[in-house]
Amino acid sequence: MKRLLVAALVSAQVLTMAVTAQAAPDIKERIAAVPGVRIISEGTVGTARTFVLGVQQPVDHRRPRGQQFEQRFSLLHKDEAKPMVLHTSGYGLPGTIGASEPARIIDGNQISVEQRFFTPSRPDPADWKLLNIWQAANDHHEIVGKLKKIYRAKWISTGASKGGMTSVYHRRFFPRDVDATVAYVAPNDVVNNRDNYGEFIENVGNDPTCNRRLEGVQRQILQHRDEFAARLEAKGYTYKQFGGVQRSLEILVLDTPFTFWQYGLQADCAIVPGANATVDQIWDFMDKTVGWDFYTDAGVAPYSPYYYQAGTQLGWPAADESHVRDLLRYPGASVPRSMVPADIKMRFETGVMRDVDSWVRLCGSRLLFVNGQNDPWSAEPFRLGPGTRDSFYYTVPAGNHGSNISKLPEAQRAEATAALQRWAGVAPAMKAASADQGPDPDSLEALRARRG
């Protein structure tokens, strides 16, 4: 009799577990049930499920019941029990969903958030004064709060370039939202009118003649500016935002050395045209290096939110005009104001980046920074300070804007990987299945595509 009773109890328990398992809501149902979130589309990457989602956000988080807008973000879902990576692009949402390097290292889920004011995540009407780092940090805080009810394991934030900056700003205002942050090639322009970028570019690389040839290219373009301008207009580009093709041409020319080292390698010095180069050879080099189509109306329009933020809070690298000053017609034109429509008012707020820098140095914890030795954006990086705890700073030798953990020397790569896995609470052997990764949203190619 006792055996029959035990068997019956066991059978009932098994049946209850089976019914419970069958009744457990699918992740799609759980996401759809989150207040203010809607599913825009869904798909798969290997065995992982993917969703593009929209979340209702206050335009002004100080007035949560006021005007709302829908902010897009994507979800790469593997398992609710796995850690979550909060990936901030700092720009628009990547066109395809893929795992960032931290998500690959810890085999985690990932959400990737489109920055406010990048279309279509733009309020209508748009009050541009509400595009600032505090409002954006609150956007991320709202999303974290909603999804932590589903994903209860550790959270890691990450991003590259402006996305890395964005992840640090979020931590500054909401340090407990995530357990750690990995920021790649993220500049930290503490005092905007005191730049190190020009000096950095003067001394970058191991071949001084490379920069001299780049300067030669700049001069040759400006010496033949009418021919280059005619070619550009013949391609159908327009330049109303810049006040004409000639002004745009000067901005592009000034950007050349910075962009060359941002995305290129030392070996690319071999393709820099010399003094006897033809106009065709210089045209092809510039098209590959900077891109003739970027400093056009159609090229810069999608990036107005970035230039607005640079011109109001983030700061920007001053263009080095010293090598071509005698050939310029529009000195001082290479500033964010030139890239933002005139009807959008801009005023720079001093001290905003100093506040973030002070937090990193005095209060930051579980921060991991990776920069590239030859990347101009690394001229003014985030630095650890006397109050920074359990944090790491690395530089990839000869690295460019695509620098990450995988490109570090072996000992540093192992140290950084171990720290990330420890923060995420996963076993050192954990690694994502290659079929579940998709394209890295912070690869050099992806950063270049979004000009990050």
Short mmCIF file of all heavy atoms in Angstrom, two decimals, residues 237 239 242 248 252 255 290-303 307 339 448-451:
data_model
loop_
_atom_site.label_atom_id
_atom_site.label_comp_id
_atom_site.label_asym_id
_atom_site.label_seq_id
_atom_site.Cartn_x
_atom_site.Cartn_y
_atom_site.Cartn_z
N TYR A 237 25.62 64.57 -56.87
CA TYR A 237 25.59 64.91 -55.45
C TYR A 237 25.14 66.35 -55.25
O TYR A 237 25.40 67.22 -56.09
CB TYR A 237 26.98 64.75 -54.83
CG TYR A 237 27.54 63.35 -54.87
CD1 TYR A 237 28.88 63.13 -55.20
CD2 TYR A 237 26.76 62.24 -54.56
CE1 TYR A 237 29.42 61.85 -55.23
CE2 TYR A 237 27.29 60.96 -54.59
CZ TYR A 237 28.61 60.76 -54.93
OH TYR A 237 29.14 59.49 -54.95
N TYR A 239 24.85 69.70 -52.25
CA TYR A 239 25.63 70.21 -51.12
C TYR A 239 24.97 71.43 -50.46
O TYR A 239 25.65 72.34 -49.99
CB TYR A 239 27.04 70.58 -51.59
CG TYR A 239 27.78 69.41 -52.18
CD1 TYR A 239 27.72 69.13 -53.54
CD2 TYR A 239 28.52 68.55 -51.37
CE1 TYR A 239 28.38 68.04 -54.09
CE2 TYR A 239 29.19 67.46 -51.90
CZ TYR A 239 29.11 67.20 -53.25
OH TYR A 239 29.77 66.11 -53.78
N PHE A 242 26.03 72.21 -46.86
CA PHE A 242 27.38 72.74 -46.68
C PHE A 242 27.56 74.13 -47.29
O PHE A 242 28.62 74.74 -47.14
CB PHE A 242 28.40 71.79 -47.32
CG PHE A 242 28.37 70.42 -46.73
CD1 PHE A 242 27.55 69.43 -47.27
CD2 PHE A 242 29.16 70.11 -45.63
CE1 PHE A 242 27.52 68.16 -46.72
CE2 PHE A 242 29.13 68.84 -45.08
CZ PHE A 242 28.30 67.87 -45.62
N SER A 248 32.18 71.79 -48.93
CA SER A 248 32.15 70.37 -48.59
C SER A 248 33.49 69.70 -48.93
O SER A 248 34.00 68.88 -48.16
CB SER A 248 31.03 69.67 -49.35
OG SER A 248 31.16 68.27 -49.28
N LEU A 252 35.99 67.48 -46.44
CA LEU A 252 36.42 66.12 -46.77
C LEU A 252 37.93 66.02 -46.79
O LEU A 252 38.51 65.05 -46.27
CB LEU A 252 35.82 65.71 -48.11
CG LEU A 252 36.10 64.30 -48.60
CD1 LEU A 252 34.89 63.75 -49.35
CD2 LEU A 252 37.31 64.26 -49.52
N ASP A 255 39.46 65.89 -43.40
CA ASP A 255 39.15 64.64 -42.69
C ASP A 255 40.03 63.47 -43.13
O ASP A 255 40.03 62.42 -42.50
CB ASP A 255 37.67 64.29 -42.95
CG ASP A 255 37.14 63.23 -41.99
OD1 ASP A 255 37.59 63.20 -40.84
OD2 ASP A 255 36.26 62.44 -42.40
N VAL A 290 38.04 57.84 -47.75
CA VAL A 290 37.07 58.70 -47.06
C VAL A 290 35.67 58.47 -47.61
O VAL A 290 34.70 58.36 -46.85
CB VAL A 290 37.45 60.19 -47.19
CG1 VAL A 290 36.47 61.06 -46.42
CG2 VAL A 290 38.88 60.43 -46.71
N GLY A 291 35.55 58.38 -48.92
CA GLY A 291 34.25 58.21 -49.56
C GLY A 291 33.70 59.54 -50.02
O GLY A 291 33.33 60.39 -49.19
N TRP A 292 33.67 59.75 -51.33
CA TRP A 292 33.18 61.01 -51.87
C TRP A 292 31.72 61.25 -51.55
O TRP A 292 31.25 62.39 -51.52
CB TRP A 292 33.37 61.04 -53.39
CG TRP A 292 34.78 61.09 -53.85
CD1 TRP A 292 35.47 60.10 -54.50
CD2 TRP A 292 35.69 62.19 -53.72
NE1 TRP A 292 36.75 60.51 -54.79
CE2 TRP A 292 36.91 61.80 -54.32
CE3 TRP A 292 35.60 63.46 -53.17
CZ2 TRP A 292 38.02 62.62 -54.38
CZ3 TRP A 292 36.71 64.30 -53.21
CH2 TRP A 292 37.91 63.89 -53.82
N ASP A 293 30.97 60.17 -51.30
CA ASP A 293 29.53 60.32 -51.12
C ASP A 293 29.13 60.70 -49.70
O ASP A 293 27.95 60.95 -49.43
CB ASP A 293 28.81 59.02 -51.51
CG ASP A 293 29.28 57.83 -50.69
OD1 ASP A 293 30.32 57.93 -50.02
OD2 ASP A 293 28.60 56.78 -50.74
N PHE A 294 30.09 60.76 -48.76
CA PHE A 294 29.69 61.01 -47.37
C PHE A 294 29.37 62.48 -47.11
O PHE A 294 28.31 62.83 -46.59
CB PHE A 294 30.74 60.53 -46.38
CG PHE A 294 30.28 60.69 -44.95
CD1 PHE A 294 29.29 59.87 -44.45
CD2 PHE A 294 30.79 61.68 -44.12
CE1 PHE A 294 28.82 60.02 -43.14
CE2 PHE A 294 30.33 61.84 -42.82
CZ PHE A 294 29.36 61.01 -42.34
N TYR A 295 30.30 63.38 -47.45
CA TYR A 295 30.06 64.80 -47.18
C TYR A 295 29.20 65.42 -48.28
O TYR A 295 29.60 66.32 -49.00
CB TYR A 295 31.38 65.53 -47.00
CG TYR A 295 32.08 65.14 -45.71
CD1 TYR A 295 33.24 64.39 -45.74
CD2 TYR A 295 31.55 65.51 -44.48
CE1 TYR A 295 33.86 64.01 -44.56
CE2 TYR A 295 32.17 65.14 -43.30
CZ TYR A 295 33.33 64.39 -43.35
OH TYR A 295 33.94 64.01 -42.17
N THR A 296 27.99 64.87 -48.41
CA THR A 296 26.96 65.34 -49.32
C THR A 296 25.68 65.47 -48.50
O THR A 296 25.61 65.03 -47.35
CB THR A 296 26.73 64.34 -50.46
OG1 THR A 296 26.21 63.11 -49.90
CG2 THR A 296 28.02 64.03 -51.21
N ASP A 297 24.66 66.05 -49.10
CA ASP A 297 23.39 66.18 -48.38
C ASP A 297 22.86 64.82 -47.95
O ASP A 297 22.47 64.62 -46.80
CB ASP A 297 22.35 66.89 -49.26
CG ASP A 297 22.67 68.36 -49.46
OD1 ASP A 297 23.36 68.94 -48.62
OD2 ASP A 297 22.23 68.93 -50.48
N ALA A 298 22.86 63.88 -48.89
CA ALA A 298 22.34 62.54 -48.58
C ALA A 298 23.25 61.79 -47.62
O ALA A 298 22.79 60.98 -46.82
CB ALA A 298 22.17 61.74 -49.87
N GLY A 299 24.57 62.09 -47.68
CA GLY A 299 25.52 61.37 -46.84
C GLY A 299 25.44 61.73 -45.37
O GLY A 299 25.48 60.86 -44.49
N VAL A 300 25.32 63.02 -45.06
CA VAL A 300 25.35 63.44 -43.65
C VAL A 300 23.99 63.50 -43.00
O VAL A 300 23.90 63.49 -41.76
CB VAL A 300 26.07 64.80 -43.48
CG1 VAL A 300 27.49 64.72 -43.99
CG2 VAL A 300 25.29 65.92 -44.14
N ALA A 301 22.91 63.57 -43.79
CA ALA A 301 21.58 63.74 -43.20
C ALA A 301 21.25 62.68 -42.15
O ALA A 301 20.71 63.02 -41.08
CB ALA A 301 20.53 63.76 -44.31
N PRO A 302 21.54 61.39 -42.38
CA PRO A 302 21.21 60.40 -41.35
C PRO A 302 21.99 60.58 -40.05
O PRO A 302 21.60 60.02 -39.02
CB PRO A 302 21.57 59.06 -42.02
CG PRO A 302 21.59 59.35 -43.48
CD PRO A 302 22.08 60.75 -43.60
N TYR A 303 23.08 61.33 -40.10
CA TYR A 303 23.95 61.46 -38.93
C TYR A 303 23.77 62.79 -38.19
O TYR A 303 24.57 63.12 -37.31
CB TYR A 303 25.40 61.28 -39.35
CG TYR A 303 25.63 59.94 -39.99
CD1 TYR A 303 25.63 59.79 -41.38
CD2 TYR A 303 25.79 58.80 -39.21
CE1 TYR A 303 25.80 58.56 -41.97
CE2 TYR A 303 25.96 57.56 -39.80
CZ TYR A 303 25.97 57.44 -41.17
OH TYR A 303 26.13 56.21 -41.75
N TYR A 307 26.05 64.52 -35.00
CA TYR A 307 26.72 65.81 -35.05
C TYR A 307 26.09 66.80 -34.06
O TYR A 307 26.78 67.64 -33.49
CB TYR A 307 26.69 66.36 -36.48
CG TYR A 307 27.64 65.64 -37.39
CD1 TYR A 307 27.17 64.84 -38.43
CD2 TYR A 307 29.02 65.73 -37.20
CE1 TYR A 307 28.05 64.16 -39.27
CE2 TYR A 307 29.90 65.05 -38.03
CZ TYR A 307 29.42 64.27 -39.06
OH TYR A 307 30.30 63.59 -39.87
N MET A 339 27.22 70.33 -40.22
CA MET A 339 26.54 69.09 -40.59
C MET A 339 25.09 69.04 -40.11
O MET A 339 24.38 68.08 -40.41
CB MET A 339 27.27 67.88 -39.99
CG MET A 339 28.77 67.95 -39.99
SD MET A 339 29.51 68.03 -41.61
CE MET A 339 31.25 68.17 -41.15
N ARG A 448 32.28 51.24 -39.88
CA ARG A 448 32.46 52.13 -41.01
C ARG A 448 31.14 52.40 -41.71
O ARG A 448 30.87 53.53 -42.15
CB ARG A 448 33.48 51.57 -41.99
CG ARG A 448 33.72 52.50 -43.17
CD ARG A 448 35.04 52.27 -43.83
NE ARG A 448 35.39 53.40 -44.68
CZ ARG A 448 36.59 53.60 -45.21
NH1 ARG A 448 37.57 52.77 -44.93
NH2 ARG A 448 36.82 54.64 -45.96
N ALA A 449 30.29 51.38 -41.80
CA ALA A 449 29.00 51.55 -42.46
C ALA A 449 28.14 52.58 -41.74
O ALA A 449 27.37 53.31 -42.37
CB ALA A 449 28.28 50.21 -42.54
N ARG A 450 28.25 52.64 -40.41
CA ARG A 450 27.49 53.64 -39.67
C ARG A 450 28.36 54.80 -39.22
O ARG A 450 27.95 55.60 -38.38
CB ARG A 450 26.77 53.01 -38.48
CG ARG A 450 27.64 52.46 -37.35
CD ARG A 450 26.75 51.97 -36.22
NE ARG A 450 27.51 51.55 -35.06
CZ ARG A 450 27.73 50.30 -34.69
NH1 ARG A 450 27.25 49.32 -35.43
NH2 ARG A 450 28.41 49.99 -33.61
N ARG A 451 29.58 54.89 -39.81
CA ARG A 451 30.53 55.97 -39.55
C ARG A 451 30.85 56.06 -38.06
O ARG A 451 31.08 57.14 -37.54
CB ARG A 451 30.00 57.30 -40.05
CG ARG A 451 29.70 57.35 -41.53
CD ARG A 451 30.89 57.13 -42.41
NE ARG A 451 31.81 58.25 -42.41
CZ ARG A 451 32.71 58.47 -43.38
NH1 ARG A 451 32.76 57.66 -44.42
NH2 ARG A 451 33.51 59.48 -43.31
#
